[in-house]
C-alpha cells in the first residue's frame, strides 16, 4: 500500500493557504462588499451551520440527529445521483467501447453516430430530459449518465485499438484464439486507458450533477447553491462550492490510489 508523502501534501497546501490569507486580508480591509465576497471566516461559520443539525437534540437516535444537517443530506443526495448515473453511463460505455475497439466493422458502423452525439453537451439535453422523465432524480441521473458515457467510451476504444502489435503477434504465434487474445492481451493492455476514462467520467458526472440539480430536483448541493443565490447568501454559495470541491478531491484521490493499485503490474511494481 502506497504511503502518504506528507511533504508533498504540505507543498500542495502552500498555494491554497496564500490564497485564503489574501482573501481574508481583502475582506478585513473592506475592499469588497461582504455580501458579494464574504470573508473565509464567514464562509467557515456558514459551512459549520450548514453542517450542523437544524433542530436541537430532543432525545432518541443521536446518530440520526447528528447526521440530519442540510449539508450531509445534500451531499448524500448529490453522491447518490453521481454514483447511479455514472454506473449506468460507464456500464453502457465499457462493453460498447470494447466491441468497437476490437471490431473494425462495428467501429465503422457506430463511430459516425458516436462522433455526431459526442460534441453535444449534456446540458443541452435538459429540456428533453424533463420532457421524457419529468422532475426529480430520473432526469438528473440521465444527464449524469450522458456525461460519464463518452469519456469512458472514447478511452476504452482508444485503449483497445492502440494495443501494441508486438503483443498481438506474439499471442498469435503462440496459438491464442480470438477470445483468448481479447481477454488475455487486448483487455489488460487497455486497462490504463479505461481507468483514465473512468476518472474523467467521474469528474464530468460531478459537473453535470450540479447543473441538473439546479433545474430538475429539490435537494442536493446544486439546488442549495441556487436557493442561496435567490436570497443573496454568498457565504452559503461558497460553502456549497467548497463542499463540491472537497467531495471531488476525495473521489479523485481515491480513484488515483485505486489506479495505482490496479496498475502495479503496468508500472512494474510488486508492492
Amino acid at each position: 500500500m502506497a504511503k502518504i508523502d506528507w511533504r508533498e501534501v504540505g507543498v500542495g497546501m502552500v498555494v491554497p493557504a496564500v490564497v485564503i490569507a489574501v482573501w481574508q486580508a481583502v475582506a478585513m480591509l473592506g475592499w469588497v462588499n461582504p455580501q458579494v465576497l464574504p470573508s473565509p471566516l464567514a464562509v467557515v461559520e456558514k459551512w459549520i451551520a450548514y453542517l450542523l443539525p437544524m433542530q436541537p437534540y430532543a432525545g432518541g437516535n443521536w446518530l440520526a440527529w447528528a447526521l440530519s444537517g442540510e449539508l450531509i443530506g445534500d451531499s448524500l443526495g448529490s453522491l447518490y445521483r453521481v454514483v447511479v448515473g455514472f454506473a449506468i453511463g460507464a456500464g453502457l460505455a465499457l462493453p460498447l467501447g470494447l466491441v468497437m475497439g476490437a471490431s473494425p466493422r462495428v467501429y465503422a458502423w457506430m463511430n459516425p453516430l458516436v462522433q455526431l452525439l459526442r460534441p453535444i453537451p449534456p446540458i443541452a439535453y435538459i429540456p428533453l430530459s424533463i420532457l421524457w422523465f419529468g422532475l426529480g432524480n430520473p432526469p438528473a441521473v440521465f444527464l449524469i449518465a450522458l456525461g460519464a458515457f463518452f469519456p469512458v467510451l472514447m478511452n476504452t476504444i482508444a485503449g483497445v485499438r492502440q494495443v501494441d502489435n508486438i503483443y498481438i503477434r506474439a499471442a498469435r504465434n503462440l496459438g491464442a484464439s480470438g477470445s483468448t487474445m481479447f481477454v488475455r492481451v487486448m483487455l489488460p493492455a487497455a486497462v490504463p486507458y479505461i481507468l483514465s476514462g473512468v476518472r474523467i467520467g467521474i469528474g464530468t458526472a460531478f459537473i453535470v450533477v450540479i447543473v441538473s440539480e439546479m433545474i430538475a430536483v429539490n435537494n442536493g448541493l446544486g439546488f442549495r447553491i441556487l436557493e442561496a443565490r435567490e436570497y443573496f447568501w454568498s457565504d452559503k454559495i461558497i460553502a456549497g462550492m467548497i463542499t463540491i470541491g472537497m467531495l471531488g478531491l476525495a473521489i479523485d484521490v481515491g480513484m488515483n490510489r485505486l489506479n495505482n493499485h490496479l496498475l502495479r503490474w503496468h508500472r512494474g511494481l510488486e508492492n
Side-chain angles (χ1 to χ4, degrees):
M1 185 175 180
K3 295 182 179 179
I4 298 175
D5 188 343
W6 292 107
R7 182 176 180 181
E8 182 178 346
V9 173
V11 171
M13 292 299 295
V14 170
V15 173
V18 171
V19 171
I20 292 174
V22 172
W23 176 11
Q24 181 67 35
V26 168
M28 291 177 63
L29 292 171
W31 291 355
V32 293
N33 186 337
Q35 192 168 16
V36 175
L37 182 64
S39 69
L41 292 178
V43 173
V44 170
E45 289 178 5
K46 178 58 70 174
W47 190 87
I48 294 173
Y50 188 16
L51 173 67
L52 294 176
M54 293 181 290
Q55 302 295 331
Y57 181 60
N61 190 329
W62 182 88
L63 182 60
W65 170 81
L67 298 178
S68 64
E70 268 189 345
L71 178 60
I72 296 175
D74 290 336
S75 298
L76 291 176
S78 296
L79 284 173
Y80 168 78
R81 296 180 188 103
V82 167
V83 170
V84 174
F86 177 80
I88 294 173
L92 295 173
L94 184 59
L96 179 60
L98 292 173
V99 173
M100 288 181 64
S103 172
R105 180 174 297 179
V106 175
Y107 181 85
W109 287 343
M110 298 298 299
N111 188 57
L113 178 62
V114 170
Q115 298 305 327
L116 174 67
L117 298 177
R118 184 170 65 90
I120 303 175
I123 298 171
Y125 290 91
I126 288 176
L128 287 177
S129 69
I130 294 176
L131 286 174
W132 292 343
F133 302 105
L135 299 176
N137 284 331
V141 170
F142 169 74
L143 294 171
I144 294 164
L146 273 177
F149 178 83
F150 288 104
V152 176
L153 175 68
M154 300 309 298
N155 276 43
T156 303
I157 294 172
V160 176
R161 289 174 64 88
Q162 294 184 22
V163 175
D164 197 323
N165 285 330
I166 294 176
Y167 301 146
I168 297 177
R169 289 198 299 268
R172 286 174 179 168
N173 291 337
L174 292 172
S177 64
S179 59
T180 300
M181 185 179 302
F182 179 78
V183 174
R184 301 296 297 272
V185 178
M186 300 178 72
L187 184 58
V191 166
Y193 290 86
I194 295 172
L195 292 177
S196 295
V198 167
R199 193 173 179 181
I200 297 170
I202 290 177
T204 305
F206 251 100
I207 296 172
V208 176
V209 71
I210 299 306
V211 176
S212 64
E213 287 175 346
M214 291 181 175
I215 305 297
V217 300
N218 59 1
N219 67 352
L221 294 170
F223 170 81
R224 206 63 63 187
I225 289 173
L226 187 65
E227 179 188 58
R229 189 210 64 170
E230 298 292 334
Y231 294 97
F232 298 98
W233 295 336
S234 299
D235 49 1
K236 192 169 185 177
I237 293 173
I238 298 175
M241 293 168 61
I242 291 173
T243 303
I244 295 166
M246 292 169 62
L247 291 174
L249 176 62
I251 291 177
D252 188 70
V253 169
M255 282 300 305
N256 188 44
R257 293 178 69 85
L258 178 62
N259 287 359
N260 291 338
H261 176 73
L262 295 178
L263 298 179
R264 289 177 299 171
W265 62 270
H266 184 68
R267 297 182 174 90
L269 301 176
E270 296 181 356
N271 296 318

